[in-house]
Amino acid sequence: MEDEETALALIRYYCYEKYFSHAVIAAAAAQRKFSNDPIYSFFHAYGTLMQDEIQEASVELDTIRDGRDVALCTLMALVYAEKKKTNPDREVIQELDAKVKEDRKSASPKSLYHAGMFLWLLGRNDKAREYTERMIKLSKGSREGTVLKAWIDVTSGKEAYARKAGKYFDEALKEKADVFALMGKAQYYEYRQNYSGALEMVNQVIVSFPGFLPALNKKMKLLLSLQDWEQTIDAAHRLLQKDKNNLEALQMLALHSLCREGDITEAVKQLSTLFGSLEVVEPHNPELFYRMSLAFTRVCERNEKIIEQTFRMVERAFSAADRDSDLATELGYQSVLQGRIKDALKWYKTAMTLDETSVSAMTGIIRCQLTEGHLEDAEERLECLTEIQQSIGKSADLLYLRAVLAVKKRRPQEEVTNLLNDAVDTHFSTLQGLPLGVEYFEKLNPDFLLEIVKEYIALCPAKPPAQGLPPAPLLQHCATLLDTVVKIVPGLPQGVFLLAKVRYQSGDIDAAQSSLQHCLDQCPSHADAHLLMAQIYLQQGNFALCSQSLELCLSHNFEIRDHPLYHLIKAQTQKKMGELKEAIQTLQMAMSLPGVRRAGSSYKSKNKKIELSPADCVSVFLELAETLWLNGEQHEAAKVMQDAINEFSGTPEELRVTIANADLALLRGDTELALSMLRNITPEQPYYIQAKEKMGDIYLNHRKDKRLYASCYREMVEKLPSPHTYLLLGDAFINIQEPEKAIEVYENALKKNPKDGALASKIGKALVKTHNYVKAMNYYESALKTEQQNFLRYDLAELLMKMKHYEHCERVLYEALAHEPVNELQALSDDCRYLVLLAKIQIKVDKNEDALLALQKARDVQAKVLKRVQLEQPDAIPVQKQLAAEICAEIAKHYTSQRGYERAVKFYKEALVYCETDRKVMLELARLYLTLDEVDACQEQCSVILKNDQFNEDATLMMADIMFRKQDYNKAVFHFQQLLERKPDNYLTLSRLIDLLRRAGKLEEVPRFIDMAEKHSSRTKFEPGFNYCKGLYLWFTGQPNEALRHFNKARKDNDWGQNAVYNMIEIYLNPDNDTMGGEVFETLDGEIGNSTEKQESEQLAVRTAEKLLKELKPQTSGGQVQLRILENYCFLATKQKANVEKALGVFTEIANNEKDHVPALLAMATAYMILKQTPRARNQLKRIAKMNWSIVDADEFEKSWLLLADIYIHSGKYDMAGDLLQRCLNHNKSCCKAHEYRGYIMEKEQAFCDAAHSYEMAWKYGNRTNPTIGYKLAFNYLKAKRYVDAIDVCHKVLAAHPNYPRMRKDILDKARAALRS
């Protein structure tokens, strides 16, 4: 039973969708399988009848007319068949009608049901409902009758009926979920625009009835309604696997290739396949051939190959149904698209012969007449149709044609604009409530919209507005239209190109360039796009790229040489490059082109019609005049200008010539003549505003008269009051530094146009410009209360941030984000901007976790933006990807500051996925790799950067660091040397080089680079950077007092001051670079030094360090932590138990808050050592010893290893200490203390020669200034019987420290005695 129901549902579906051949095949299959029911014979006959095989259908219907359940529908079908004949027999019809009326009285419910079904399939819903309701009444609520009634209601197009259909389907589905009812419920959901609900129903059918293919068809269409192209195409491929001739799937693939991919070749191939499949599966279905072609002709951008295919399809339909005027009209329309106007006229006239009331055919004839220039005939027909239009409703086509006629008859611009606006509104009204699908593409008709856009563009200035001036309002309208087209049909290069053109003419050059690049990626041979790109490069002053674009343009379309715009741009490039003679030749060549001297005409070039706009033609004249003038040929220039006046007299372009003539007068220095010419242009004329702007420019820049400059704009507002002129007046006041007056004008303009966002924003910015921040804030807040200017919320938040009202700013941003989830592109973009700004604010107030949360939300929102941008604004992809990269980089920066390096790497890598060439991100990632000691990964990043930017300072510095870590010191120094030879006063590089040479154990090479910097400029010695570098060198070579003197000179500098102060504090706290908290050398130093004097000196140093601490103003959270640690080191330096314990508490708190914070852990260990709690100190130091070394904490790692080595030495664990000391020397070969400890270990092991060698290294790297190391070295020389060396060292120590204890008695005298003996 279920099989039978499914088979019937399949037949009904094919009949409803008008796939009549499919219906016949399905009915024949059902007849074979379920032979007892005559309904299958009826449907077989119905399918045959609808394919115009009337005789065969009538014979079949006669065989079943006596069947009780099908008698009524059969009689109705026979009536319909008779009426379809060329010469119907009236008597037969009357006889059959009488029989229908008679049978209806006694018809069974089943018979009424089938009759209702037949009437519904014919589209006679009201009559079908009447039969079905009677059937339901007779059968006391038949389920199948209820389902059919629901289908009739949902497809009736009447809201009152359709609304109830869902209830009927639900009632039926409670009893049983059959295919017909489930598909009906899906249809109901689709009608209510609940596509997800419909999809759910269809999925239920697919699961329960896997053999019911129409469900897959429906699913494919619903996925497209949900704008999910990817899944739509997957569904199409699934369909074709089950049915290789599935027409809707083939149509969908062809539409995808054309609309989304812009792949003409593939689309042509798929259309050809579709045509072949139509011939195979529906050969006698002219309406289907016609229907399947419609969408393609309207989205193919008049591509010849596509129209060739669609023309074949409609021609094939017309050959089978040559009485159908719609088919003839469509053939006429497609002929127009191909530029074959005579053929089009022939087809339109054929259509009129078939149906003399055909409005579409009449409209087509008018289109042809306008194209051919028969304006009077066209006007007459248009008037006739306009009258008819009042009774049949507005037609977008007619309104557009009236606008075209108005342009050609040079009617006022306002009339043209109103007609075009009306055409657009009428056109879009037909799309309301229509889901994305084949019918939507057909009704959207991008070709028609692009034609309207071209008319709009022709009414706008060809050049971008001057900086600070708003674009023509019509351009915004164009941009909105084109955004819609490009969003739905991104595969249209012409749509993307026109969007680029509109953006260019609006002054948004970056967006125009982005759109053009997208257009050229899709269609590299788009000559107009290359031409516009050349104009942009010319405007940017990039003449090489401009010439390259012109060459590309010419290589793709040789006929572009016949277009004056090509020569105009070429000449302008030559003029800018100073090649005036060549520019004159190019322009003279343009002047000789056919049509230029008959401005705005058109002519044919090798069968291709070239339209010449008057604007392009006049530009050639004016450019030639100016170039001749610049070349000193004033007389020739005047002649060309006179030609222009004669040529364009009486045209709208005449005024452009006048304005250019005024420019020439200005070049001659005759400002009065220029002004008198411009004064003649009246408010009623086009270019009045441009003339007034030119006059204003003369008053301001030539006569330096601000009062008259402003009066030009005031007069403009008086004569032509509009939001645009008010805006110009406001901008004029801003230009002459009178923002208060500008605000007043903007406010007046805003009253006239309260929804103008640009105006509202200008008022706020003008208030900010007058530093009236509080008033600006109040203005923004009151504007937001009206709920019309929500976009001002961002401006307000930025202002609050500027005013440091962080809490208020945060509140405003939270309010902006407090809304229901959104999915529109603009709303998502706004949310992303709000979240990024919120994160900035939260970072400023140390809400780091909240900031991270805001950034992660921004990242998620931006991912949605990118997904939508690919569909809706493909040309905006680069900008949006850049923003996504910036968000990821900010998250990475946050993790870096929290020492979450692994996560930071992940986010920097994600940023590079969005923006592969972002050098800033690449550098940060490389730095991170260096911090993690992932040397190879860092080197790879740096190599990529240096490949594109050979002298990148940061990358070169890192390469040097890498080479140092690989112990390739020569290469490391080479990288620094490269930078310093190019710029010896690059103190950042010099400071890094000094540190690197220290670590490489080559500090003796530093003076060469310091001398190089000194010789570079006589001012070098006074440079803070130089003094910092010299201080660093002196500190590293054991000359703390000299180092302090140089650091002090850099102390007040913005760039070097903070680091200099940090270093000074460290020197004051530990001038001899001892191991703080160490015990090994404590006793020895105690014996040697004067303890009272030393204590006083240390206390004075601590007080000085405390004073210096007050000068530190760290900007980052990491800097704040570093400052706290240094403050508490001052407490450690006092060595008083209470102070040390207080400091220890702070260090412990920092170590708990900051994971694996090496400086804090070292400080804790040092405090424990001073408190004589060695085991606790050792535990902290062991933690550090297990960590990976990083350049950021290099000095702290070194100090912690030395302190742990000290502990091991003190407890006699020399091997463990030796390993740590070797680790120190691996990372810093100049580490005096490591060499000193090694010497001490060797001495204790009585290996005096080895000990002497280690002390020798410590003595060398300490610049032979530390008397303690000198004493130990001399002592071990003595023990190793190197008496001369011992005496030599003693002399050096005693020369600097004559009273150094025990040196003379213990070593010098003994060495001399040993030599004598």
Side-chain angles (χ1 to χ4, degrees):
M1 182 65 187
E2 218 164 75
D3 276 356
E4 200 165 342
E5 276 186 1
T6 309
L8 258 175
L10 183 67
I11 297 163
R12 285 187 205 119
Y13 173 84
Y14 286 142
C15 290
Y16 176 70
E17 291 290 339
K18 300 186 178 173
Y19 289 130
F20 300 120
S21 188
H22 283 70
V24 167
I25 293 163
Q31 274 176 316
R32 287 192 295 274
K33 198 169 181 184
F34 318 107
S35 54
N36 59 336
D37 199 333
I39 191 62
Y40 300 116
S41 301
F42 171 75
F43 277 120
H44 188 278
Y46 173 75
T48 310
L49 173 62
M50 297 311 281
Q51 292 178 83
D52 276 347
E53 294 175 21
I54 301 167
Q55 195 57 45
E56 295 89 320
S58 299
V59 169
E60 193 167 358
L61 288 167
D62 272 331
T63 61
I64 55 167
R65 66 186 287 177
D66 297 328
R68 175 172 154 71
D69 290 343
V70 293
L72 197 53
C73 62
T74 305
L75 286 168
M76 287 177 173
L78 283 166
V79 172
Y80 183 73
E82 192 60 41
K83 285 179 179 175
K84 265 180 87 79
K85 288 179 181 175
T86 316
N87 299 305
D89 188 328
R90 298 277 166 213
E91 283 180 21
V92 171
I93 292 169
Q94 281 172 359
E95 188 186 315
L96 288 167
D97 272 339
K99 186 84 172 89
V100 167
K101 283 172 189 169
E102 189 187 321
D103 280 14
R104 194 167 54 194
K105 292 171 190 170
S106 58
S108 66
K110 199 81 171 165
S111 183
L112 289 167
Y113 173 78
H114 291 316
M117 176 71 71
F118 171 70
L119 290 164
W120 172 61
L121 291 174
L122 285 182
R124 293 170 63 186
N125 287 47
D126 292 339
K127 203 76 179 153
R129 187 178 299 104
E130 190 187 309
Y131 275 79
T132 311
E133 282 175 349
R134 194 163 157 217
M135 175 260 173
I136 294 167
K137 195 175 177 184
L138 280 175
S139 60
K140 294 179 182 165
S142 155
R143 180 188 174 280
E144 61 179 347
T146 306
V147 172
L148 178 57
K149 187 185 176 189
W151 265 105
I152 293 165
D153 286 350
V154 84
T155 56
S156 65
K158 292 176 184 172
E159 176 63 23
Y161 288 121
R163 200 171 51 242
K164 297 174 188 170
K167 188 176 70 177
Y168 299 144
F169 282 126
D170 288 339
E171 279 173 24
L173 286 167
K174 276 178 196 168
E175 281 184 52
K176 187 175 68 175
D178 67 303
V179 178
F180 196 48
L182 285 167
M183 290 296 282
K185 189 67 195 283
Q187 187 80 19
Y188 170 74
Y189 277 138
E190 191 177 359
Y191 174 80
R192 306 301 291 176
Q193 295 182 5
N194 177 0
Y195 305 117
S196 303
L199 195 58
E200 210 175 297
M201 286 291 132
V202 168
N203 282 335
Q204 207 174 318
V205 177
I206 291 167
V207 172
S208 307
F209 308 96
F212 189 73
L213 269 189
L216 271 174
N217 277 49
K218 188 61 133 180
K219 180 175 182 174
M220 176 181 72
K221 292 188 213 168
L222 286 168
L223 287 166
L224 185 55
S225 299
L226 289 164
Q227 301 190 21
D228 190 337
W229 268 108
E230 203 174 316
Q231 286 206 60
T232 304
I233 295 310
D234 283 349
H237 285 301
R238 271 183 67 195
L239 267 167
L240 289 170
Q241 281 169 4
K242 292 176 181 287
D243 172 12
K244 66 173 184 178
N245 289 317
N246 189 289
L247 301 175
E248 285 177 333
L250 289 166
Q251 184 187 32
M252 196 62 78
L253 289 179
L255 266 177
H256 178 259
S257 297
L258 194 55
C259 299
R260 304 297 304 172
E261 306 295 321
D263 189 341
I264 299 291
T265 312
E266 191 60 25
V268 169
K269 203 167 26 171
Q270 286 159 338
L271 263 176
S272 181
T273 308
L274 175 61
F275 184 78
S277 293
L278 273 164
E279 288 280 25
V280 171
V281 295
E282 287 288 338
H284 309 298
N285 197 335
E287 193 189 338
L288 200 55
F289 276 87
Y290 164 68
R291 242 174 44 217
M292 286 267 171
S293 75
L294 291 177
F296 296 102
T297 50
R298 282 136 184 88
V299 297
C300 73
E301 226 173 51
R302 306 194 176 196
N303 183 276
E304 288 172 14
K305 289 177 182 173
I306 297 285
I307 295 180
E308 200 179 296
Q309 293 294 333
T310 56
F311 196 85
R312 267 175 75 206
M313 288 165 82
V314 184
E315 210 170 26
R316 169 74 174 73
F318 191 70
S319 69
D322 57 7
R323 307 299 304 156
D324 192 330
S325 74
D326 287 344
L327 298 180
T329 304
E330 180 62 20
L331 288 166
Y333 176 68
Q334 292 196 21
S335 299
V336 168
L337 296 183
Q338 289 172 301
R340 297 188 287 118
I341 304 302
K342 285 188 170 55
D343 288 351
L345 260 173
K346 187 187 80 178
W347 282 114
Y348 284 134
K349 282 174 182 170
T350 305
M352 289 296 291
T353 311
L354 295 168
D355 178 6
E356 57 191 28
T357 63
S358 172
V359 173
S360 52
M362 177 82 86
T363 307
I365 289 170
I366 296 167
R367 187 191 295 272
C368 294
Q369 287 171 334
L370 284 173
T371 309
E372 296 280 85
H374 304 146
L375 303 187
E376 302 310 320
D377 293 346
E379 189 167 24
E380 197 180 309
R381 283 179 189 262
L382 261 175
E383 281 171 12
C384 172
L385 270 187
T386 307
E387 283 176 30
I388 297 169
Q389 197 181 31
Q390 287 167 0
S391 59
I392 61 166
K394 283 184 177 180
S395 154
D397 283 312
L398 279 181
L399 287 161
Y400 164 69
L401 292 175
R402 282 173 63 195
V404 172
L405 179 70
V407 169
K408 289 184 182 283
K409 290 228 158 190
R410 291 184 179 164
R411 302 243 172 90
Q413 185 174 325
E414 196 179 347
E415 184 186 330
V416 177
T417 308
N418 289 340
L419 285 165
L420 289 172
N421 291 347
D422 221 355
V424 170
D425 293 344
T426 307
H427 182 73
F428 276 104
S429 68
T430 62
L431 291 167
Q432 278 181 347
L434 208 58
L436 186 63
V438 177
E439 190 186 352
Y440 186 90
F441 285 117
E442 179 196 322
K443 295 265 175 73
L444 178 69
N445 197 348
D447 184 84
F448 176 68
L449 290 174
L450 295 187
E451 289 301 298
I452 288 180
V453 165
K454 286 175 193 170
E455 292 300 333
Y456 275 132
I457 291 173
L459 300 172
C460 301
K463 286 187 176 179
Q467 201 170 5
L469 293 179
L474 278 181
L475 289 170
Q476 184 52 49
H477 194 43
C478 285
T480 310
L481 268 180
L482 289 165
D483 275 334
T484 306
V485 173
V486 170
K487 175 183 166 184
I488 303 296
V489 197
L492 279 190
Q494 187 63 9
V496 181
F497 164 71
L498 286 174
L499 184 59
K501 193 171 183 182
V502 165
R503 284 174 171 169
Y504 168 71
Q505 287 178 221
S506 303
D508 191 348
I509 305 300
D510 289 344
Q513 222 168 341
S514 175
S515 291
L516 277 179
Q517 199 50 60
H518 180 61
C519 174
L520 290 168
D521 289 345
Q522 268 188 323
C523 180
S525 61
H526 201 297
D528 287 341
H530 284 296
L531 212 51
L532 183 56
M533 192 68 101
Q535 273 177 285
I536 289 172
Y537 285 137
L538 176 65
Q539 192 174 320
Q540 291 171 339
N542 198 333
F543 307 126
L545 285 174
C546 176
S547 300
Q548 190 182 324
S549 286
L550 287 172
E551 283 166 24
L552 279 168
C553 176
L554 194 60
S555 67
H556 287 301
N557 182 1
F558 209 60
E559 287 177 9
I560 205 75
R561 288 180 316 160
D562 296 335
H563 202 299
L565 191 59
Y566 168 77
H567 295 283
L568 184 64
I569 298 166
K570 188 177 177 182
Q572 285 170 333
T573 310
Q574 290 165 330
K575 185 179 83 174
K576 296 272 187 189
M577 291 167 80
E579 298 168 3
L580 295 177
K581 284 184 179 170
E582 291 84 345
I584 291 166
Q585 279 175 3
T586 305
L587 288 164
Q588 284 169 340
M589 200 183 297
M591 293 284 278
S592 66
L593 289 172
V596 172
R597 286 185 179 274
R598 295 186 304 283
S601 62
S602 61
Y603 67 96
K604 291 218 171 182
S605 166
K606 292 182 188 170
N607 301 321
K608 191 175 178 184
K609 193 168 183 187
I610 292 182
E611 292 286 342
L612 299 183
S613 73
D616 289 342
C617 298
V618 80
S619 297
V620 174
F621 278 87
L622 301 184
E623 195 66 36
L624 179 56
E626 190 187 336
T627 312
L628 285 165
W629 177 273
L630 292 172
N631 200 38
E633 299 177 46
Q634 279 81 1
H635 181 64
E636 288 300 315
K639 269 170 68 180
V640 171
M641 194 54 83
Q642 192 55 51
D643 284 352
I645 292 166
N646 299 338
E647 187 74 35
F648 297 98
S649 176
T651 73
E653 299 301 318
E654 179 184 9
L655 301 173
R656 264 187 76 198
V657 178
T658 305
I659 294 169
N661 223 344
D663 279 337
L664 274 182
L666 275 180
L667 285 172
R668 292 197 298 271
D670 194 342
T671 52
E672 195 46 57
L673 178 62
L675 286 167
S676 68
M677 285 178 186
L678 294 168
R679 282 190 199 108
N680 290 331
I681 299 174
T682 60
E684 301 78 45
Q685 294 175 297
Y687 294 104
Y688 168 74
I689 289 175
Q690 286 89 328
K692 279 288 166 196
E693 284 179 281
K694 178 65 71 180
M695 285 175 75
D697 180 62
I698 294 169
Y699 285 129
L700 185 65
N701 297 316
H702 293 269
R703 295 210 170 165
K704 311 293 179 194
D705 190 330
K706 289 182 180 179
R707 190 178 56 79
L708 284 174
Y709 167 73
S711 75
C712 281
Y713 288 92
R714 277 205 192 95
E715 192 182 326
M716 211 189 290
V717 168
E718 282 167 23
K719 297 283 195 294
L720 291 177
S722 72
H724 178 55
T725 51
Y726 270 102
L727 202 58
L728 290 175
L729 176 59
D731 291 348
F733 281 129
I734 290 284
N735 286 344
I736 57 174
Q737 266 68 52
E738 292 189 18
E740 292 83 1
K741 287 183 181 175
I743 291 163
E744 199 180 312
V745 172
Y746 289 146
E747 282 173 343
N748 280 335
L750 197 61
K751 282 173 193 166
K752 295 185 183 325
N753 192 8
K755 290 186 179 176
D756 190 331
L759 266 172
S761 189
K762 273 179 183 280
I763 295 170
K765 281 170 184 163
L767 285 165
V768 171
K769 201 166 190 174
T770 58
H771 301 289
N772 204 337
Y773 297 132
V774 176
K775 194 174 175 186
M777 187 173 79
N778 293 337
Y779 163 74
Y780 281 136
E781 285 181 332
S782 60
L784 283 167
K785 278 173 191 167
T786 65
E787 293 189 0
Q788 286 181 342
Q789 313 287 4
N790 274 335
F791 60 89
L792 289 179
R793 213 178 284 278
Y794 189 83
D795 288 359
L796 171 61
E798 273 193 326
L799 175 62
L800 290 166
M801 184 168 79
K802 198 173 188 177
M803 293 167 73
K804 297 189 177 174
H805 291 189
Y806 299 134
E807 207 174 306
H808 190 174
C809 179
E810 209 174 342
R811 201 163 59 246
V812 166
L813 290 168
Y814 276 127
E815 279 169 20
L817 291 161
H819 55 70
E820 292 298 310
V822 289
N823 209 21
E824 294 79 36
L825 181 56
Q826 190 54 53
L828 288 169
S829 294
D830 289 345
D831 276 4
C832 191
R833 286 170 73 219
Y834 292 141
L835 286 162
V836 170
L837 190 59
L838 180 63
K840 275 185 195 171
I841 297 295
Q842 288 169 333
I843 287 165
K844 284 182 186 289
V845 293
D846 286 332
K847 291 185 179 177
N848 290 325
E849 290 309 310
D850 289 348
L852 178 61
L853 199 64
L855 285 168
Q856 284 170 336
K857 280 183 186 170
R859 172 177 165 255
D860 295 342
V861 171
Q862 189 60 16
K864 289 181 186 173
V865 168
L866 278 168
K867 201 170 180 184
R868 290 197 74 87
V869 153
Q870 286 170 354
L871 295 173
E872 297 173 26
Q873 293 176 14
D875 54 291
I877 291 172
V879 176
Q880 295 298 345
K881 278 191 170 180
Q882 182 64 45
L883 180 57
E886 284 166 17
I887 293 166
C888 290
E890 274 303 315
I891 296 172
K893 210 179 283 180
H894 176 89
Y895 279 123
T896 305
S897 71
Q898 302 295 311
R899 295 170 182 265
Y901 298 130
E902 300 297 336
R903 281 188 168 185
V905 166
K906 177 191 155 198
F907 282 103
Y908 277 132
K909 281 183 174 175
E910 190 177 319
L912 287 174
V913 167
Y914 291 122
C915 205
E916 293 169 24
T917 54
D918 192 320
R919 214 161 284 163
K920 204 173 163 191
V921 173
M922 289 163 90
L923 280 168
E924 290 300 334
L925 181 57
R927 277 194 196 101
L928 208 49
Y929 281 138
L930 202 59
T931 304
L932 290 165
D933 211 20
E934 292 182 22
V935 178
D936 292 335
C938 177
Q939 188 170 354
E940 193 182 323
Q941 282 295 327
C942 291
S943 300
V944 174
I945 297 165
L946 291 168
K947 194 175 178 182
N948 299 317
D949 179 6
Q950 195 182 345
F951 298 110
N952 187 289
E953 196 173 306
D954 294 298
T956 307
L957 289 173
M958 272 187 277
M959 280 299 251
D961 268 346
I962 292 162
M963 294 310 157
F964 160 70
R965 290 186 198 200
K966 290 186 170 182
Q967 300 190 341
D968 191 341
Y969 302 119
N970 292 332
K971 270 193 184 172
V973 173
F974 166 76
H975 282 294
F976 282 119
Q977 207 166 326
Q978 263 191 319
L979 288 173
L980 288 170
E981 278 170 2
R982 284 180 63 244
K983 198 180 175 198
D985 60 347
N986 185 337
Y987 300 123
L988 180 66
T989 302
L990 183 56
S991 67
R992 295 286 296 277
L993 174 61
I994 292 167
D995 187 49
L996 185 136
L997 288 170
R998 168 177 75 123
R999 294 182 180 285
K1002 295 188 175 185
L1003 277 167
E1004 65 275 7
E1005 291 185 22
V1006 173
R1008 175 163 70 93
F1009 294 102
I1010 289 177
D1011 290 345
M1012 208 192 314
E1014 230 171 312
K1015 284 172 189 168
H1016 179 66
S1017 162
S1018 56
R1019 296 233 9 103
T1020 299
K1021 286 184 180 178
F1022 307 105
E1023 291 281 349
F1026 174 78
N1027 280 294
Y1028 178 85
C1029 292
K1030 195 152 186 186
L1032 209 56
Y1033 168 67
L1034 292 164
W1035 183 23
F1036 291 159
T1037 52
Q1039 301 172 66
N1041 292 329
E1042 282 297 299
L1044 281 170
R1045 197 165 60 80
H1046 282 86
F1047 282 139
N1048 197 43
K1049 288 179 183 176
R1051 185 174 127 216
K1052 298 292 181 187
D1053 184 64
N1054 283 340
D1055 296 327
W1056 298 96
Q1058 295 286 294
N1059 282 342
V1061 173
Y1062 275 122
N1063 292 346
M1064 288 174 79
I1065 293 166
E1066 284 204 37
I1067 292 171
Y1068 278 122
L1069 294 179
N1070 188 4
D1072 298 324
N1073 209 11
D1074 291 330
T1075 307
M1076 281 183 83
E1079 297 176 331
V1080 172
F1081 300 129
E1082 208 175 47
T1083 46
L1084 183 62
D1085 292 347
E1087 288 167 21
I1088 293 169
N1090 181 330
S1091 57
T1092 313
E1093 192 184 314
K1094 196 173 181 188
Q1095 275 174 9
E1096 282 176 8
S1097 158
E1098 280 173 0
Q1099 281 167 11
L1100 179 64
V1102 169
R1103 284 200 294 276
T1104 311
E1106 284 170 345
K1107 279 181 194 169
L1108 285 169
L1109 277 166
K1110 289 171 186 168
E1111 292 183 15
L1112 290 172
K1113 301 281 184 291
Q1115 300 298 310
T1116 62
S1117 55
Q1120 300 280 358
V1121 172
Q1122 189 183 359
L1123 176 59
R1124 283 184 76 199
I1125 289 173
L1126 267 181
E1127 282 169 347
N1128 286 279
Y1129 259 116
C1130 289
F1131 289 134
L1132 290 191
T1134 63
K1135 306 223 173 122
Q1136 293 169 10
K1137 190 179 179 189
N1139 283 345
V1140 175
E1141 283 175 344
K1142 185 180 174 185
L1144 179 60
V1146 174
F1147 298 144
T1148 308
E1149 183 199 327
I1150 294 169
N1152 289 338
N1153 292 339
E1154 309 273 338
K1155 189 190 169 202
D1156 292 342
H1157 196 281
V1158 178
L1161 293 171
L1162 169 64
M1164 279 174 72
T1166 308
Y1168 281 134
M1169 287 302 289
I1170 293 168
L1171 293 168
K1172 304 297 178 192
Q1173 297 178 20
T1174 306
R1176 286 185 172 180
R1178 186 171 57 235
N1179 288 341
Q1180 300 304 330
L1181 294 166
K1182 279 181 175 178
R1183 265 181 77 184
I1184 298 171
K1186 287 173 186 171
M1187 293 180 200
N1188 288 330
W1189 182 86
S1190 82
I1191 191 84
V1192 179
D1193 298 320
D1195 290 338
E1196 282 74 17
F1197 272 109
E1198 186 178 298
K1199 287 172 188 172
S1200 65
W1201 293 337
L1202 288 171
L1203 186 52
L1204 186 54
D1206 185 291
I1207 293 169
Y1208 285 146
I1209 292 166
H1210 200 257
S1211 55
K1213 296 175 180 175
Y1214 296 145
D1215 290 346
M1216 292 168 85
D1219 290 344
L1220 288 163
L1221 296 171
Q1222 187 55 52
R1223 211 189 286 186
C1224 286
L1225 292 169
N1226 287 344
H1227 289 286
N1228 180 8
K1229 287 190 166 42
S1230 302
C1231 181
C1232 294
K1233 223 62 194 164
H1235 288 298
E1236 192 180 350
Y1237 277 122
R1238 286 180 90 169
Y1240 181 83
I1241 292 169
M1242 308 292 183
E1243 193 181 334
K1244 285 289 179 192
E1245 290 174 343
Q1246 299 199 346
F1248 298 116
C1249 287
D1250 293 338
H1253 174 71
S1254 289
Y1255 283 130
E1256 205 175 285
M1257 299 305 284
W1259 179 242
K1260 174 190 167 187
Y1261 291 124
N1263 203 27
R1264 300 176 175 83
T1265 55
N1266 188 323
T1268 309
I1269 294 173
Y1271 177 86
K1272 292 173 186 174
L1273 174 59
F1275 178 78
N1276 279 279
Y1277 275 153
L1278 180 70
K1279 290 286 185 185
K1281 299 183 179 176
R1282 291 170 62 181
Y1283 304 124
V1284 175
D1285 292 333
I1287 292 165
D1288 189 31
V1289 172
C1290 286
H1291 283 312
K1292 278 180 183 163
V1293 172
L1294 291 168
H1297 306 274
N1299 301 318
Y1300 196 80
R1302 291 168 34 191
M1303 185 67 126
R1304 205 177 292 277
K1305 184 182 167 190
D1306 285 4
I1307 303 169
L1308 185 60
D1309 293 346
K1310 284 181 182 177
R1312 281 173 174 163
L1315 272 176
R1316 288 191 192 109
S1317 64

